[in-house]
Amino acid sequence: MRLRHEALDLETRHEFRISSAGPRRLHENLLVRIEHDGIEGLGEAAPARYYGESRALAGAALDAWAPLLGEDPFALEPLGARLDAALAGQHAARAALDMALHDWIGKRLGLPVWRLLGLDAAAAPASCVTLGLADPAEMEEKLDSVLDFPLVKVKLGAPGDVENLRRVRRRYAGRLQVDANAAWSPAEAVRVLRAIEPLGIELVEQPVARADLEGLRWVRERSGIPVFADESVHALADVGNLAGRVDGVNLKLMKTGGLREALRMIHAARALGLKVMLGSMVESSLALSAAAQLAPLADYLDLDGHWLLREDPFEGAPGERGVIALGQRPGLGVVPARPAGGTA
């Protein structure tokens, strides 16, 4: 197998801010290509500075793994063992490699990945769209573009959170979720959640610090809003540690290292009575379509990165206004985006 990678720069329409990171418009992702037997599989890495990743480090990891790929794209288990023995971590890079392999396998067999997994495309729930931290005027502008979405997630973790969310609710009648990105102490989280509970909030993600598992439990016991973990769940063992402490987990391919590990974590979460959200970083429709292959197994979806972009270089499963459309194209079902006014 031949592995290549190249820069994939994505620019958001608005500055995207969360409590754990500064404002950004440019996101430095990587496009990964695996070629074998005349077929090319595609994957995407969205390295997160918050987790000590960068495009340069992701590229270096892929270069280290390239000589270990072998000549059998179907041999995913032994291949994974070789990669882990050579270099652990760099989950975004690993996710891109895993995506490209699944894309290759689906194309080789002429089937979409969701069908290879035996799933029902019609069971995929709608996705939310996320509004990053913003001042009141900017929030009003962002809200104008999402009023017809069935589900909106609002980032919290800054002064004025409660009033900002009340302002959103006055104009938006659909389903609302919130995400604090580990911004609060347990006591502060309970105070804010009790204040916003009358607004009909569906769930809150990661109200306290990543390592504060007892804080998650403490908040859950005192909040009427279901608590989901995001930053606290990366690997299979994390799912077990969170049982009894949260109501659900947000799994992202960029954290799990790909579809295979995400699938294991979904089944573990179900066995432990946890609900499952499939989430994303700022990604194109390539990475989002990879996550969407598992969408029929999820309770909630946050596969919205392409809606935040000024220009999406790919077309795939994420559709318009929250729709996840798993079609019959083989592999991940991704093709290059049509140029404006042109054809594919």
Side-chain angles (χ1 to χ4, degrees), residues 65-66 68-69 78-88 94 97 101:
W65 287 327
L68 306 174
L69 294 181
L79 171 57
R82 291 198 300 273
L83 300 186
D84 287 339
L87 177 65
R94 182 65 177 275
L97 183 53
L101 287 166

Side-chain angles (χ1 to χ4, degrees), residues 46-340:
R49 291 182 292 185
Y50 181 73
Y51 297 128
E53 298 176 333
S54 68
R55 182 154 69 190
L57 288 173
L62 290 164
D63 290 339
W65 287 327
L68 306 174
L69 294 181
E71 293 302 321
D72 185 359
F74 290 94
L76 296 175
E77 199 66 32
L79 171 57
R82 291 198 300 273
L83 300 186
D84 287 339
L87 177 65
Q90 292 301 318
H91 293 152
R94 182 65 177 275
L97 183 53
D98 177 270
M99 290 176 208
L101 287 166
H102 279 85
D103 192 39
W104 188 96
I105 291 170
K107 288 174 177 175
R108 178 68 177 81
L109 298 177
L111 291 171
V113 170
W114 63 266
R115 287 200 66 196
L116 294 176
L117 297 174
L119 303 181
D120 177 8
S127 175
C128 73
V129 65
T130 302
L131 300 180
L133 293 175
D135 59 40
E138 184 184 5
M139 184 62 79
E140 292 284 349
E141 181 183 350
K142 289 181 177 181
L143 192 57
D144 285 338
S145 65
V146 300
L147 287 174
D148 58 342
F149 273 77
L151 176 58
V152 167
K153 179 187 294 183
V154 181
K155 295 287 189 178
L156 303 182
D161 273 346
V162 174
E163 186 51 44
N164 217 13
L165 197 60
R166 286 172 178 159
R167 188 177 295 108
V168 169
R169 180 47 98 193
R170 283 195 288 269
R171 294 189 57 202
Y172 179 71
R175 296 160 58 198
L176 266 182
Q177 300 174 354
V178 296
D179 183 0
N181 290 110
W184 300 322
S185 68
E188 186 179 15
V190 170
R191 177 185 63 78
V192 174
L193 294 178
R194 287 178 175 173
I196 66 175
E197 187 175 344
L199 302 178
I201 306 303
E202 196 165 71
L203 61 86
V204 57
E205 283 183 54
Q206 200 65 42
V208 300
R210 173 181 175 182
D212 191 2
L213 303 190
E214 282 308 305
L216 285 170
R217 184 203 298 273
W218 194 87
V219 172
R220 182 190 182 218
E221 291 172 347
R222 291 160 177 80
S223 169
I225 300 173
V227 175
F228 276 53
D230 179 355
E231 284 85 346
S232 294
V233 56
H234 288 247
L236 186 59
D238 295 330
V239 178
N241 291 335
L242 288 163
R245 293 183 165 105
V246 296
D247 298 285
V249 291
N250 183 348
L251 307 180
K252 300 175 180 176
L253 298 190
M254 299 302 162
K255 293 188 301 176
T256 68
L259 284 89
R260 284 174 65 77
E261 187 66 10
L263 187 59
R264 294 186 184 103
M265 293 170 71
I266 289 171
H267 291 316
R270 292 291 185 215
L272 293 167
L274 297 171
K275 289 189 176 296
V276 172
M277 175 187 293
L278 289 177
S280 59
M281 306 298 191
V282 177
E283 303 164 2
S284 79
S285 283
L286 172 53
L288 294 168
S289 295
Q293 304 305 307
L294 303 177
L297 297 174
D299 300 289
Y300 303 99
L301 298 179
D302 181 7
L303 303 180
D304 66 338
H306 71 304
W307 291 310
L308 307 175
L309 300 180
R310 186 176 298 278
E311 183 177 356
D312 186 356
F314 296 99
E315 293 178 359
E320 294 299 320
R321 321 323 268 178
V323 174
I324 299 298
L326 290 167
Q328 297 297 328
R329 287 195 296 237
L332 302 180
V334 174
V335 295
R338 294 177 178 86

